[in-house]
Every structure is written in C-alpha cells, then in structure tokens.
Amino acid sequence: MTIKDICALFDIGGTYLGCREIESGNINSTFRVSFERDGVLKEYILQKINKRVFKEPPKVMDNIVRITNHIRMKVLKRGDSTRTGVLRAFYSREEDHPYVIDDCGEYWRCYRYIHNSKTYDSLDDLEIITKIGGAFGRFQEDLSDFPAKTLFITIPNFHDTKKRYVALREAIEIDPYKRVKKVKEQISMLFEFEKMACELQEYLDNGKLPYRVTHNDTKSNNVSIDKITGDVLAVLDLDTVMPGAIAHDFGDAIRFIANTRKEDDVQYELVELDMDKYEAFTKGFIGEVGSVLTDLEKKTLNLGVFTMTVELALRFLTDYILGDKYFKNNYPGHNVDRTKNQIALSKSILNKFEQMEGILKKYL
Ligand code: GN1
Ligand code: MG
C-alpha cells in the first residue's frame, strides 16, 4: 500500500498532494502529508508505529487518547489559548479507532500537523529552553491527578535501570555477534557507574518515590514550538507515557538539551553538560511542577540526570552487542558512538554535580 492508500483509510477529506519522510526519531517512521481541500492546504503527520518496540499499538493509542483528553480538559479550564495544540488523533474511516492497519498488518496513526510550528533537535536559545522546561513541567502538573495505574505499560520496565543492567549482562553472556571484545572499555565504565545509576530505581522499588504519569522521552524535539512567537504549542510523542519517576523526565530532558554536542557526536572530548542550558531548563520545569514535588523527588532530580544518561548508554551498548535491532542506525557502529557520547556526558555530570545542586536549590 502507498502512503496515499493509507491516508485514504483515515477519516480525512480532500485531494492527496504528496508526502515527505521526516528523518527524526529513532523508532517510528514519520511522514508529513499534504492534502488540498476547497483550495486550502491541509497537512497531517502520518506515523507507522514500530511493532517490534510497541507490541500492542491499539493500547498505545488508547493511552494517548485518554491522556490528550485529560490535558485538553485542563487547557480548557485554564482558558489557556497558547496551549491549544494538544495532539488530536484522527479516527479510521471505517472503524471506531484512532489508527488504521495496512495490508502488511502494520499500524498507522495520523495527527493534525501543527502549522507554523517547529521542533528543535538542538538549540541555544535559553528562553526557548526555559519554555520547553515549562512544557514538560506543565505536562506533569496536568497529569498529576490522572490515575497512573490505569495506563497500559507500552514498554515494560522502560526506565528500570536495574533491569537495563541485567539486559547488558545477558547480552555480554550471549555475545551473538562477537562484538563484546570491541567495547570492553565502555562496558567496564558502565559497571563503574552501576551503583549510583541504580539508586533511583531502588527508591521506586521500595516505595520511597511515587510513581507518577511521566512522559519518558523528554527530548527537545518532542515539544512543538510556534515558529514566530517561540511559545509552546504541544508536547509530542506520547508513546511512552507511563508510570515513572519525575526524575526520569527531568533527567532525560537535561541529558538531551544540555549536552554541548548532539547525542551521537563523535567529538567526545567536547561533550559536556552546559550549565546555562541546565539552568534555563530547570527554571522552566520547576516553575511549573515544583509545588507538587515531595522532598525525596526534589533530592533525586539531579540523580535522574546521571541515571538517564547512563541508562541510555546501556541501551545503546546492549543494542550494539545484540546486533543493532532496536534503534535506527545510520551507519555500522552508530550505537557505539552514541554510547561513547553518553559516557562522556555521564562523566561531565559527575564533575558538575555540586554545581547542579546549587542551581537547582535556587529554583526549588
Ligand atoms: C528513542 O525515537 P525517539 O527518538 O523518540 C527512544 C528513547 C531514547 C531516544 C534516544 C521508545 O526515541 O527512549 O531516549 O531514542 N524511544 C524508545 O535518542 O525507545
Ligand atoms: Mg520517542
């Protein structure tokens, strides 16, 4: 089936004009498609849901519909006009569900494209970083009364760092592609980080930290920004919204946004935590969600930054050892380069930990 055929299965009208693939995201395939209706250009985001990663796409979509309805209700209550871009999924033309299935059994979803919006794979504008921090903080706030337990777990143990270590150990044991010998140095570094990186999960396991509804993939490119005003339009990519720790969201965002280099940059010696960006994000995030945090949540936010960085290094390395089946790779060894980058960032975070604590205190 062509993209045009798939679009025809959704309840959207008009004449199909064309599509182009959007090369962002390491998991799903995304297309921007254009239609013309009554002389007006209509654009949509069409996404094929990666079934290897998300085993039950209908349940992923069910989570998304419930979450976006909840947020929309909050937006309306606030009368907040700048936040009207909450994602809205189109339904199938024939059936009563917000996805369609193509002739290969693949699941597709379709969202309205948010006009005059952009997303940032990297950015230096501190004001916009603060707004992105605010968007993720507000997301937490808006969902703080959503019944977390009713959400479907789209990827089991997604941010369970202890289990990520177990997975690495198992991969090393099997070593199906004889790759372990090439990454000995990275493996031993990650084991050095293990104790501290597993502390957060300990707090969750023993009930000292609450499970909240978290986004779990808080990269800057998952926030849609108004091209002209720089205001936040919507939080995107809700596939991994599940119960988790606030520190996961804070940590993952800082890991991505405040890295002086991109996530897969190979100039590892230039990889550092940018403290201005750290502060800009923290200011926005805490400003929106600070009032709901428990003492231990506040105390573990920076631990989350370290944890999420180490955890992603673990995931990239485990995927490499097991044959690069999970993340999209642009070239052989891409996952190793990503691992080295995240290890370099983890070291920088440790070096700057006290400084981070000082800044965080200012906003709590
Ligand atoms: C994946 O596909 P994307 O870029 O939204 C991954 C995240 C990682 C990220 C690293 C479902 O996200 O957990 O942090 O790559 N998503 C999933 O770039 O595994
Ligand atoms: Mg994602």
Side-chain angles (χ1 to χ4, degrees):
M1 270 172 126
T2 63
I3 294 288
K4 185 179 173 189
D5 297 334
I6 292 160
C7 287
L9 299 175
F10 282 101
D11 192 16
I12 50 181
T15 313
Y16 177 83
L17 296 178
C19 80
R20 85 184 151 79
E21 185 160 7
I22 296 178
E23 301 284 347
S24 135
N26 294 326
I27 307 290
N28 297 318
S29 308
T30 308
F31 301 84
R32 181 168 159 184
V33 293
S34 337
F35 277 73
E36 193 227 272
R37 200 166 63 223
D38 305 327
V40 182
L41 178 70
K42 300 270 176 192
E43 288 184 291
Y44 304 92
I45 290 293
L46 186 71
Q47 254 182 341
K48 180 163 86 179
I49 306 174
N50 183 330
K51 260 198 310 187
R52 220 168 2 91
V53 172
F54 299 105
K55 311 265 188 256
E56 296 188 70
K59 294 193 176 158
V60 172
M61 292 312 295
D62 187 61
N63 277 358
I64 292 178
V65 169
R66 293 174 53 224
I67 289 157
T68 49
N69 283 345
H70 193 89
I71 296 177
R72 199 170 293 114
M73 190 184 74
K74 294 285 175 85
V75 169
L76 288 176
K77 260 195 198 159
R78 272 200 295 276
D80 197 342
S81 62
T82 62
R83 295 180 205 272
T84 49
V86 188
L87 286 184
R88 193 183 283 274
F90 284 90
Y91 274 64
S92 152
R93 194 180 288 280
E94 301 283 323
E95 268 147 306
D96 188 28
H97 47 61
Y99 55 86
V100 302
I101 306 170
D102 70 14
D103 52 358
C104 302
E106 297 291 349
Y107 288 75
W108 295 78
R109 66 172 163 228
C110 180
Y111 293 122
R112 183 178 309 123
Y113 174 74
I114 307 172
H115 276 283
N116 293 320
S117 69
K118 65 182 286 186
T119 55
Y120 291 90
D121 288 325
S122 67
L123 76 168
D124 295 319
D125 185 326
L126 298 180
E127 256 178 60
I128 297 185
I129 292 179
T130 299
K131 287 183 185 174
I132 292 176
F136 284 124
R138 166 63 39 203
F139 184 85
Q140 293 289 345
E141 234 294 308
D142 281 348
L143 292 168
S144 58
D145 58 344
F146 186 97
K149 285 205 181 103
T150 64
L151 282 174
F152 169 70
I153 305 295
T154 59
I155 303 179
N157 308 313
F158 191 54
H159 286 321
D160 185 329
T161 315
K162 279 158 72 183
K163 296 224 165 84
R164 295 289 185 182
Y165 269 103
V166 172
L168 176 64
R169 287 199 164 84
E170 282 173 2
I172 294 170
E173 189 73 27
I174 312 165
D175 194 14
Y177 297 91
K178 300 286 165 257
R179 288 179 170 183
V180 167
K181 58 178 183 297
K182 296 185 193 158
V183 287
K184 286 264 185 240
E185 204 183 307
Q186 287 69 40
I187 292 174
S188 67
M189 203 63 238
L190 289 176
F191 284 134
E192 263 182 51
F193 293 150
E194 182 169 9
K195 190 165 178 288
M196 183 172 167
C198 289
E199 229 177 278
L200 193 66
Q201 188 57 43
E202 284 294 333
Y203 289 130
L204 285 165
D205 287 347
N206 61 29
K208 290 190 175 149
L209 273 179
Y211 273 100
R212 295 184 183 274
V213 178
T214 44
H215 181 282
N216 295 311
D217 190 9
T218 46
K219 308 198 292 191
S220 53
N221 52 18
N222 281 334
V223 176
S224 159
I225 301 287
D226 188 307
K227 254 185 201 163
I228 296 155
T229 63
D231 284 338
V232 168
L233 295 170
V235 171
L236 312 174
D237 193 0
L238 307 178
D239 294 328
T240 50
V241 175
M242 284 182 282
I246 288 253
H248 291 148
D249 276 3
F250 179 73
D252 201 28
I254 297 287
R255 169 196 80 67
F256 189 82
I257 295 170
N259 188 341
T260 47
R261 313 298 295 176
K262 282 197 178 175
E263 193 176 83
D264 58 355
D265 192 306
V266 296
Q267 287 178 284
Y268 314 115
E269 67 288 355
L270 300 180
V271 169
E272 256 190 86
L273 192 77
D274 180 318
M275 297 313 289
D276 293 332
K277 292 183 181 178
Y278 170 86
E279 174 152 9
F281 183 90
T282 302
K283 183 178 166 191
F285 186 83
I286 300 298
E288 291 289 346
V289 78
S291 61
V292 310
L293 302 180
T294 68
D295 285 346
L296 190 60
E297 281 183 315
K298 291 178 186 168
K299 250 172 92 178
T300 50
L301 285 172
N302 284 326
L303 179 61
V305 179
F306 178 71
T307 305
M308 295 308 292
T309 311
V310 173
E311 186 190 279
L312 190 59
L314 282 170
R315 295 172 60 198
F316 286 144
L317 195 62
T318 306
D319 192 36
Y320 168 74
I321 295 172
L322 294 179
D324 301 315
K325 305 262 167 34
Y326 185 92
F327 294 103
K328 281 190 213 158
N329 274 232
N330 297 342
Y331 56 88
H334 197 173
N335 269 331
V336 180
D337 291 344
R338 289 163 164 159
T339 307
K340 290 181 183 167
N341 180 305
Q342 296 300 297
I343 289 178
L345 183 61
S346 307
K347 288 181 186 164
S348 172
I349 292 165
L350 286 180
N351 287 335
K352 298 189 179 183
F353 210 81
E354 261 177 51
Q355 223 182 318
M356 290 158 70
E357 290 287 273
I359 294 171
L360 178 61
K361 231 186 230 143
K362 240 168 79 180
Y363 295 98
L364 281 172

